[in-house]
Amino acid sequence: MFILKHFRIKKYQILRNVRYIQTKSIKNILDLKEHELSDSEVRIIGWVKSFRDQKEIKFIHLNDGTDGRNLQLVCLAENFPNKDNFSNISNSISFNTSLEVHGKVVKSTHKLQNYDLQVTELKIIGPCNPLEYPFKQKIKQTLESIRPHIHLRSHVDQFADIMKFRSELVSSIHNFFYQNNFTQVHTPIITSNNCEGGCETFQVTLNDYDRGLEIIKKDSINQMDELNSRHFFSKPVYLTASAQLHLETMTTSLGNVYTLSPTFRAEKSMTRHHLAEFYMLEAEMIDMNSLDQILDLTENFLKQVSLKTYDVFDKNLLHLILNKNKPKTSGLEYIEKITNTFNSKKFVRITYQEALDILNKLLNTKKYSKLIKKKIEFGEDMNKEQEKLLVEYFQDTPVFVTKYPKSIKPFYMRQSEDNEKLVENFDLLAPHVGEIIGGSLREHRIDLLNDAIKNQDLEPQVFDLYLETKKFGAMRMGGWGLGLERFMQFLINIENIRDVSSFPRSLYNCKM
Amino acid sequence: MFILKHFRIKKYQILRNVRYIQTKSIKNILDLKEHELSDSEVRIIGWVKSFRDQKEIKFIHLNDGTDGRNLQLVCLAENFPNKDNFSNISNSISFNTSLEVHGKVVKSTHKLQNYDLQVTELKIIGPCNPLEYPFKQKIKQTLESIRPHIHLRSHVDQFADIMKFRSELVSSIHNFFYQNNFTQVHTPIITSNNCEGGCETFQVTLNDYDRGLEIIKKDSINQMDELNSRHFFSKPVYLTASAQLHLETMTTSLGNVYTLSPTFRAEKSMTRHHLAEFYMLEAEMIDMNSLDQILDLTENFLKQVSLKTYDVFDKNLLHLILNKNKPKTSGLEYIEKITNTFNSKKFVRITYQEALDILNKLLNTKKYSKLIKKKIEFGEDMNKEQEKLLVEYFQDTPVFVTKYPKSIKPFYMRQSEDNEKLVENFDLLAPHVGEIIGGSLREHRIDLLNDAIKNQDLEPQVFDLYLETKKFGAMRMGGWGLGLERFMQFLINIENIRDVSSFPRSLYNCKM
């Protein structure tokens, strides 16, 4: 009862013929049943996706974003009483012009579509000068070629469809947590916590940073003090690199919580796997007592959300995303392979030590000598190429790598019962992209937390409030963080992370 | 098929009696049907909400965040073979201690609850020293008194329940847009756009701002240049104050879009209505042709989402949020009043000019002389008190005020057809909190946009990419932004905006 069922259907009184004309979405029209066809006129709006011009007839393919399919508009000279209006169509319409069109839905004579719109009136809303417009009707764009036009990318179907997939995926994620009784928490972006994980962060200052530099240049210590005192929050603050510590504090009385929130890294890297601003899904669950327990949950989450998203997402659009500039089958084969793996296989679970043993075994094989140049010693981290190799080794099944050395992991991870050099953590490695999730059981014993902070040369006062929460009814917990963009790259086989983000930010790159 | 139905029910092999013990949530137990009661032992975890100690019997109320109700634990001496264990309970348990408990579900003898748990085993997970713990069992906390303990606030039921309400509201919002075929877009936080709306923004710099000041203090122009060149994004960037311009660029091929995203204002105000970081819900809809059309949509959205959230949110929790420290009925009366208004009344729609006329008419009345000291002239903005007065004037019905002077509104609002001094915009004023939504039809005519930018002394180059999108298939659009926290304040009658945000940030205030 709460849903606005006919949200997209609006009514207009057109004085010309004194009757109501329904505004239909293109999806409405393409999904019509045959018995629903009527003589009444409809009104649609949309963007021209292609245009074919003949003397007595003009064909336009129009799209309004409601469907992967276009609607074919048929403009017949005989339907335009004013001949000038008809011939003007050719001059004023081009690729991506936006239109308001009135006409009648009729059965199509073309076998590729069910219905055409026979146009009786056509108005330009926004022209599109083909000489200035960077995209051309007859030249197929690649994701790479449209990337510099960050403000116009959604005009191109493949990118628009990627954005739609992201929206569907996000919706599946929220549904999963809602149905499993998690509370969604909006954790803060601005934080006084500089770097629990040892990563580079951004600082947030007042808007007069550059003016401040000018003041100081003129060399006055008083002015310098004045500038220092200008901290809006009365101390230096940063953009969050992870919401985990905040989430942990929210579990008492709330139980399981999650957040899907922007996170920031000022790493000076320009790879196709890194962004300076990205979305991280972080979940924190109470009463977590063993690695297998959290691994089971994580595996279930990933499989369910992925399969659900594939299932409900428009198959035509999936086709478009995957097969642009590629042979017809490769993309769908990719999805089918993942779907099969997710439906039938359990993810691989190995320890960090076992992972090293496998990689070091491959050390002297010709095929991998470029990736593994020397033996990886206990205490060293694996690089992205080595992570991908591990997944390959297990025939592209996702791999949980568990129990890393305590020395290379954050202080809040729970120390293993059986080996105090290890922590109860995991990384999940996915085919093609490597790590997409990192998680662990959390240390709730305050003495061990204090030791870990000391051993890692961190400043305890940065974590004073977090540590205090462990003094009052601490709970055994576990949680993880998933990089949303990397997950997308994996799910729809997109090589460059910039192509799954609406406005990607990276080193030297922040347009608009 | 995709839902992990029994997500919270986990199995443990307990060696003591070699059988499986189910971990139950407290909600599971309280919702049991009588025929489902069995003799098998269950395991639960949770936090102590109250504790009553007698010689042969001890009562504990436990909560795990899954339900507004607590489960009563009954510890009978006879069930503890080891007498020391039993008497130790008194020494080690206090308000907010976290426990793992084993026992049997039995019918309660107390009429206020259906079931008790008869405890056979009880383990402390995290102790809670009552001498250090800031909250006491027998002293009722107010939202104001717990505010300084930002990291512990979720321990207090009323605050935890506000967070749950927020989660439910956010879920209703996402569902509304999903069901109406909007695409959710994650718009960027870091932007090169400084201030389209004329508000104060934060700047984002590299992490060495303070060190940079030190370098400069030592007075070297070379070092100064070096620091200037350290812009991570090769230019100054800011925290977003609104995602609207970004959203507008995404509508082509995507159609209707929305985002629920953090936004930032560096306003040096400390009122109970302002945060430096808050969530804004922004929707952008294509083919918007009249103010009434967008007002209808907005009104429908607000009513549906509000009523739906009230409807599905746990009534016990709503009670707790509203009635803490207040007479039993006042809170629910508040909800009932809003619900009735939303169900039966159409929101008021008046123009800015009509609003001024009403306020100026009240100018000389004794009652309002403090709020309206002098006549408000055309071109002046109303203040918050005057906005609230307007809503009062219309018997607490929300009021749309439309068609403001162009001179006091952002450049992107569409100029009125009938009066070029006005724009086709609206503010929605709600009882008690004033403005919660601001929106407008958007100007899609590039010459009018350029004029407005010039007239408002803005720098056109800041908007170059946005303006370029209007050159290529521009669409008539309209949209609005809703302040999520203010909406919450209105829906559950919370006076201070800091009490509906997990980690509120404001002037001089950024803890954790």
Side-chain angles (χ1 to χ4, degrees):
Chain A
M1 89 174 253
F2 287 109
I3 302 158
L4 261 176
K5 283 241 169 66
H6 302 289
F7 186 75
R8 293 195 54 87
I9 300 170
K10 299 147 239 157
K11 284 180 176 172
Y12 287 85
Q13 193 164 14
I14 303 291
L15 289 175
R16 184 167 52 86
N17 46 10
V18 199
R19 60 175 182 159
Y20 287 104
I21 296 181
Q22 277 197 321
T23 298
K24 288 255 187 207
S25 73
I26 283 174
K27 185 179 180 55
N28 284 159
I29 294 176
L30 294 173
D31 285 347
L32 276 178
K33 304 267 181 296
E34 241 174 85
H35 69 267
E36 293 169 328
L37 277 187
S38 83
D39 262 355
S40 56
E41 200 167 80
V42 298
R43 174 189 178 277
I44 59 168
I45 58 97
W47 290 271
V48 173
K49 292 292 173 178
S50 73
F51 178 47
R52 263 190 311 135
D53 195 5
Q54 291 167 21
K55 203 176 171 197
E56 290 296 303
I57 187 167
K58 297 169 201 308
F59 296 100
I60 301 169
H61 283 126
L62 202 75
N63 197 291
D64 63 358
T66 59
D67 202 280
R69 302 162 290 176
N70 300 321
L71 176 65
Q72 177 165 277
L73 312 181
V74 182
C75 309
L76 292 167
E78 65 195 57
N79 289 334
F80 284 73
N82 182 330
K83 292 299 154 203
D84 282 347
N85 281 355
F86 181 71
S87 51
N88 269 340
I89 294 178
S90 314
N91 304 328
S92 49
I93 286 181
S94 64
F95 186 43
N96 206 55
T97 305
S98 58
L99 302 179
E100 177 185 337
V101 184
H102 296 236
K104 213 176 81 180
V105 180
V106 296
K107 282 286 290 176
S108 180
T109 52
H110 198 291
K111 63 182 174 190
L112 275 181
Q113 57 247 3
N114 282 330
Y115 304 113
D116 294 339
L117 191 84
Q118 230 162 43
V119 177
T120 53
E121 198 181 338
L122 188 149
K123 295 182 212 160
I124 309 280
I125 303 172
C128 185
N129 181 345
L131 298 175
E132 293 182 52
Y133 192 52
F135 311 138
K136 307 292 168 221
Q137 178 179 329
K138 282 178 185 156
I139 297 170
K140 285 223 183 289
Q141 283 83 33
T142 63
L143 290 173
E144 196 171 1
S145 72
I146 64 173
R147 214 177 289 144
H149 309 282
I150 197 172
H151 56 310
L152 302 173
R153 283 200 295 175
S154 79
H155 295 202
V156 176
D157 289 344
Q158 194 189 9
F159 183 74
D161 297 339
I162 290 174
M163 290 295 100
K164 286 182 190 169
F165 186 88
R166 182 169 172 140
S167 181
E168 193 71 61
L169 174 63
V170 166
S171 181
S172 303
I173 288 172
H174 285 306
N175 279 338
F176 177 91
F177 285 110
Y178 185 81
Q179 284 161 339
N180 287 296
N181 277 320
F182 280 65
T183 300
Q184 183 181 177
V185 179
H186 286 146
T187 46
I189 303 301
I190 300 177
T191 170
S192 55
N193 170 355
N194 187 354
C195 53
E196 85 242 15
C199 51
E200 288 285 326
T201 52
F202 292 103
Q203 191 168 350
V204 176
T205 67
L206 274 175
N207 203 339
D208 47 11
Y209 177 67
D210 288 330
R211 206 171 64 81
L213 294 182
E214 286 304 313
I215 292 175
I216 292 163
K217 206 169 154 186
K218 290 185 195 132
D219 184 37
S220 153
I221 286 184
N222 286 339
Q223 282 170 328
M224 172 75 192
D225 287 345
E226 189 214 321
L227 197 77
N228 263 329
S229 76
R230 280 193 204 174
H231 282 304
F232 185 92
F233 297 103
S234 78
K235 62 187 160 190
V237 295
Y238 310 90
L239 291 181
T240 187
S242 159
Q244 185 211 309
L245 301 189
H246 293 95
L247 269 191
E248 276 190 45
T249 72
M250 296 297 287
T251 52
T252 311
S253 295
L254 281 170
N256 297 339
V257 292
Y258 81 102
T259 190
L260 177 58
S261 178
T263 28
F264 305 85
R265 302 280 158 88
E267 282 155 16
K268 289 182 173 161
S269 86
M270 300 209 276
T271 80
R272 60 194 173 83
H273 291 292
H274 289 90
L275 289 173
E277 172 178 339
F278 59 98
Y279 265 73
M280 186 134 76
L281 173 68
E282 293 178 87
E284 203 62 39
M285 289 150 291
I286 60 171
D287 198 26
M288 286 283 123
N289 302 288
S290 73
L291 260 183
D292 272 332
Q293 194 187 358
I294 195 169
L295 262 41
D296 287 346
L297 286 175
T298 310
E299 185 169 337
N300 269 322
F301 160 79
L302 268 183
K303 287 178 171 178
Q304 289 185 31
V305 163
S306 306
L307 293 172
K308 174 84 181 169
T309 309
Y310 285 146
D311 193 39
V312 295
F313 192 64
D314 186 324
K315 296 295 164 291
N316 295 315
L317 301 192
L318 204 54
H319 226 285
L320 268 170
I321 293 173
L322 292 162
N323 294 322
K324 198 89 173 179
N325 308 320
K326 281 183 192 169
K328 276 263 165 179
T329 50
S330 69
L332 289 182
E333 267 172 13
Y334 180 86
I335 301 284
E336 208 166 296
K337 202 173 137 192
I338 297 181
T339 308
N340 284 339
T341 305
F342 279 17
N343 272 325
S344 62
K345 282 191 196 172
K346 206 166 164 357
F347 293 176
V348 175
R349 298 179 183 191
I350 56 173
T351 64
Y352 165 82
Q353 187 59 60
E354 287 164 338
L356 292 199
D357 292 346
I358 291 166
L359 291 173
N360 286 333
K361 200 176 74 184
L362 298 174
L363 176 66
N364 295 320
T365 57
K366 214 173 178 180
K367 196 172 161 195
Y368 301 114
S369 60
K370 273 194 184 163
L371 300 176
I372 317 168
K373 284 178 190 140
K374 61 178 189 58
K375 195 175 169 222
I376 316 170
E377 302 286 348
F378 179 90
E380 287 177 50
D381 223 335
M382 291 173 270
N383 65 32
K384 184 161 281 294
E385 293 310 316
Q386 292 162 351
E387 287 176 352
K388 284 199 241 173
L389 182 55
L390 270 178
V391 183
E392 231 182 279
Y393 181 86
F394 288 106
Q395 288 96 45
D396 279 354
T397 311
V399 179
F400 283 114
V401 184
T402 63
K403 291 178 177 274
Y404 279 63
K406 198 174 175 181
S407 56
I408 57 172
K409 287 293 170 186
F411 73 92
Y412 49 72
M413 293 189 169
R414 196 186 303 174
Q415 183 178 298
S416 292
E417 300 280 317
D418 45 355
N419 184 338
E420 64 176 32
K421 284 195 173 150
L422 304 180
V423 284
E424 297 290 305
N425 83 312
F426 69 93
D427 282 352
L428 178 67
L429 314 179
H432 310 302
V433 289
E435 187 196 334
I436 55 171
I437 299 193
S440 78
L441 302 180
R442 312 305 187 192
E443 189 56 78
H444 67 288
R445 294 161 293 189
I446 197 161
D447 47 338
L448 288 175
L449 281 168
N450 279 321
D451 287 351
I453 287 176
K454 211 163 122 188
N455 290 335
Q456 301 203 357
D457 278 335
L458 296 166
E459 292 173 53
Q461 66 271 26
V462 173
F463 308 106
D464 55 354
L465 295 187
Y466 171 73
L467 289 170
E468 201 173 60
T469 64
K470 302 300 177 194
K471 286 165 69 178
F472 304 125
M475 183 55 85
R476 286 185 295 253
M477 289 194 270
W480 44 255
L482 162 80
L484 185 69
E485 286 81 1
R486 286 220 193 135
F487 188 28
M488 286 225 11
Q489 281 186 277
F490 162 59
L491 284 178
I492 49 173
N493 199 15
I494 301 290
E495 278 201 19
N496 195 312
I497 199 165
R498 286 163 189 76
D499 300 332
V500 298
S501 168
S502 65
F503 289 84
R505 274 73 176 94
S506 57
L507 189 60
Y508 308 138
N509 185 9
C510 176
K511 276 192 194 166
M512 223 183 134
Chain B
M1 88 176 253
F2 287 110
I3 303 158
L4 262 177
K5 284 241 170 64
H6 304 288
F7 186 75
R8 295 194 53 88
I9 300 170
K10 300 147 239 160
K11 285 181 175 171
Y12 287 86
Q13 194 162 15
I14 304 289
L15 287 177
R16 183 167 53 85
N17 48 10
V18 201
R19 60 172 180 159
Y20 287 104
I21 296 181
Q22 275 198 322
T23 299
K24 288 255 188 209
S25 74
I26 284 174
K27 184 179 180 56
N28 285 157
I29 293 176
L30 295 173
D31 285 346
L32 276 178
K33 304 266 180 298
E34 242 175 84
H35 68 268
E36 293 168 328
L37 279 187
S38 83
D39 263 354
S40 56
E41 200 167 79
V42 299
R43 172 188 180 277
I44 59 167
I45 59 99
W47 289 271
V48 173
K49 292 291 172 178
S50 72
F51 177 47
R52 265 192 307 136
D53 195 6
Q54 293 167 18
K55 204 176 171 197
E56 291 296 303
I57 187 167
K58 297 169 199 309
F59 296 100
I60 301 169
H61 284 127
L62 203 73
N63 196 291
D64 63 356
T66 59
D67 202 277
R69 302 162 290 176
N70 300 321
L71 178 64
Q72 176 164 275
L73 313 182
V74 182
C75 309
L76 293 167
E78 65 194 59
N79 288 334
F80 283 72
N82 183 329
K83 292 297 155 205
D84 282 349
N85 282 355
F86 182 72
S87 52
N88 269 340
I89 293 177
S90 312
N91 304 327
S92 48
I93 285 180
S94 64
F95 186 43
N96 207 54
T97 305
S98 59
L99 303 179
E100 177 185 335
V101 184
H102 296 238
K104 215 176 79 181
V105 180
V106 297
K107 281 286 289 175
S108 180
T109 53
H110 199 291
K111 63 181 173 186
L112 274 181
Q113 56 248 4
N114 281 330
Y115 304 113
D116 293 339
L117 191 83
Q118 229 161 45
V119 178
T120 53
E121 199 183 336
L122 188 148
K123 294 181 212 163
I124 308 279
I125 302 172
C128 184
N129 182 343
L131 298 176
E132 293 183 51
Y133 192 53
F135 311 138
K136 309 291 168 223
Q137 178 178 329
K138 282 177 186 156
I139 297 170
K140 286 223 184 288
Q141 284 81 34
T142 63
L143 290 174
E144 196 170 2
S145 72
I146 64 174
R147 214 177 288 145
H149 309 282
I150 197 172
H151 55 309
L152 302 173
R153 283 200 296 175
S154 78
H155 296 202
V156 176
D157 289 344
Q158 195 189 10
F159 184 73
D161 298 338
I162 291 174
M163 290 294 102
K164 285 182 191 169
F165 185 89
R166 183 171 171 138
S167 181
E168 194 71 61
L169 174 63
V170 166
S171 182
S172 302
I173 289 172
H174 284 305
N175 279 337
F176 176 91
F177 286 109
Y178 186 81
Q179 284 160 338
N180 286 296
N181 277 320
F182 280 66
T183 300
Q184 183 183 176
V185 179
H186 286 143
T187 45
I189 303 301
I190 301 176
T191 171
S192 56
N193 171 355
N194 187 355
C195 54
E196 85 242 13
C199 51
E200 287 285 326
T201 53
F202 291 102
Q203 190 168 354
V204 177
T205 67
L206 274 174
N207 203 338
D208 46 11
Y209 177 67
D210 289 330
R211 205 171 65 80
L213 294 182
E214 286 304 314
I215 291 175
I216 292 163
K217 206 168 153 186
K218 289 184 197 134
D219 183 37
S220 152
I221 286 184
N222 285 339
Q223 282 171 326
M224 172 76 191
D225 288 345
E226 190 213 321
L227 196 78
N228 264 328
S229 76
R230 279 192 202 176
H231 283 304
F232 185 92
F233 296 103
S234 77
K235 62 186 160 194
V237 294
Y238 309 91
L239 291 182
T240 186
S242 159
Q244 185 212 309
L245 302 188
H246 293 95
L247 269 191
E248 276 191 44
T249 72
M250 295 298 286
T251 52
T252 312
S253 295
L254 280 169
N256 296 340
V257 293
Y258 81 102
T259 191
L260 177 59
S261 179
T263 28
F264 305 85
R265 302 280 158 87
E267 283 155 15
K268 289 181 173 162
S269 86
M270 300 209 276
T271 81
R272 59 192 175 83
H273 291 293
H274 289 89
L275 289 174
E277 172 177 339
F278 59 98
Y279 265 72
M280 186 134 74
L281 173 68
E282 293 178 88
E284 203 61 40
M285 289 149 290
I286 60 171
D287 198 26
M288 285 285 123
N289 301 288
S290 74
L291 260 183
D292 272 332
Q293 194 186 358
I294 194 168
L295 262 40
D296 287 346
L297 287 173
T298 310
E299 185 169 337
N300 269 322
F301 161 80
L302 269 182
K303 287 179 170 177
Q304 290 186 29
V305 163
S306 305
L307 293 172
K308 174 85 181 169
T309 308
Y310 285 146
D311 193 40
V312 295
F313 191 65
D314 187 323
K315 296 296 164 291
N316 295 315
L317 301 191
L318 205 53
H319 226 286
L320 269 169
I321 293 174
L322 293 163
N323 294 321
K324 198 90 173 179
N325 308 320
K326 282 185 192 168
K328 275 264 164 179
T329 49
S330 70
L332 288 182
E333 267 171 14
Y334 180 86
I335 302 282
E336 208 166 295
K337 201 172 138 193
I338 297 181
T339 307
N340 283 340
T341 305
F342 279 16
N343 272 326
S344 62
K345 281 192 194 170
K346 207 167 164 355
F347 293 177
V348 175
R349 299 180 182 190
I350 55 173
T351 63
Y352 165 84
Q353 186 59 59
E354 287 164 337
L356 291 201
D357 292 345
I358 291 167
L359 291 173
N360 286 334
K361 199 175 72 182
L362 300 174
L363 177 65
N364 295 320
T365 57
K366 213 172 179 181
K367 196 171 163 195
Y368 299 115
S369 60
K370 272 194 186 165
L371 299 175
I372 317 168
K373 284 177 192 142
K374 59 177 192 57
K375 194 175 170 221
I376 316 170
E377 301 286 348
F378 179 89
E380 285 178 51
D381 223 335
M382 290 173 269
N383 65 32
K384 185 163 280 296
E385 293 311 316
Q386 292 161 349
E387 287 176 352
K388 285 199 240 174
L389 181 54
L390 270 178
V391 182
E392 233 182 277
Y393 182 86
F394 288 105
Q395 288 97 44
D396 279 355
T397 311
V399 178
F400 283 114
V401 183
T402 63
K403 292 180 177 272
Y404 279 64
K406 198 174 175 182
S407 56
I408 57 171
K409 287 292 169 186
F411 73 93
Y412 49 71
M413 293 188 169
R414 195 185 305 174
Q415 184 179 298
S416 291
E417 301 281 318
D418 45 355
N419 184 339
E420 64 176 31
K421 283 195 174 150
L422 304 179
V423 283
E424 296 290 305
N425 82 313
F426 69 94
D427 282 353
L428 178 67
L429 313 179
H432 311 301
V433 288
E435 188 198 334
I436 56 170
I437 299 193
S440 77
L441 302 180
R442 312 306 187 192
E443 188 56 78
H444 68 289
R445 293 160 292 188
I446 196 161
D447 46 339
L448 287 175
L449 281 168
N450 279 322
D451 287 352
I453 287 176
K454 212 164 122 188
N455 290 335
Q456 302 204 355
D457 278 333
L458 297 166
E459 292 173 52
Q461 66 272 26
V462 172
F463 308 106
D464 55 354
L465 295 187
Y466 170 72
L467 289 170
E468 202 173 59
T469 63
K470 302 300 177 195
K471 286 165 67 177
F472 304 125
M475 182 57 84
R476 286 185 295 253
M477 289 193 272
W480 44 256
L482 162 81
L484 185 70
E485 285 82 1
R486 287 223 193 131
F487 188 28
M488 289 236 351
Q489 281 185 278
F490 162 59
L491 284 178
I492 51 174
N493 198 14
I494 301 290
E495 279 201 18
N496 195 311
I497 200 165
R498 285 161 190 76
D499 299 331
V500 297
S501 167
S502 64
F503 289 85
R505 274 75 176 92
S506 57
L507 189 61
Y508 307 139
N509 184 10
C510 176
K511 277 191 194 168
M512 224 182 133

